[in-house]
Amino acid sequence: MEDKSIESLKQEFIQEVMSEQSFDTLKEWLYMHDEARYVASLTSKEPELIEYNKEFEKSLRRGKTRSNR
């Protein structure tokens, strides 16, 4: 796979989402996005993902995550 910039990857993803017509598929993508961010946050040193992990852990303790709202 060729190396791509983060901006080109974002644009590619946005184009895929915008072209999707299935509500169920979009819901699954959102669920997978949350799962992927959580897994990445477990070992990441990026401040955004560290904060995401803290908030996700708090939501688990409260019994709420985006996927079950």
Side-chain angles (χ1 to χ4, degrees):
M1 181 175 151
E2 67 184 73
D3 287 338
K4 295 185 179 184
S5 72
I6 191 166
E7 288 305 316
S8 68
L9 288 173
K10 285 179 184 180
Q11 288 300 316
E12 186 178 325
F13 181 72
I14 289 168
Q15 289 171 354
E16 288 289 325
V17 170
M18 294 301 291
S19 67
E20 183 57 57
Q21 298 298 311
S22 168
F23 180 75
D24 290 339
T25 299
L26 288 170
K27 281 178 41 179
E28 287 301 315
W29 280 4
L30 283 173
Y31 179 73
M32 288 186 295
H33 177 262
D34 274 351
E35 287 182 327
R37 282 180 58 91
Y38 176 69
V39 170
S41 75
L42 294 174
T43 58
S44 178
K45 292 180 178 25
E46 293 182 33
E48 178 187 348
L49 288 175
I50 291 169
E51 184 61 29
Y52 179 85
N53 182 280
K54 290 177 188 176
E55 292 301 316
F56 191 86
E57 295 290 332
K58 279 190 224 175
S59 72
L60 289 178
R61 286 191 288 275
R62 290 188 311 260
K64 295 181 182 177
T65 62
R66 179 183 281 178
S67 61
N68 66 7
R69 286 184 201 165

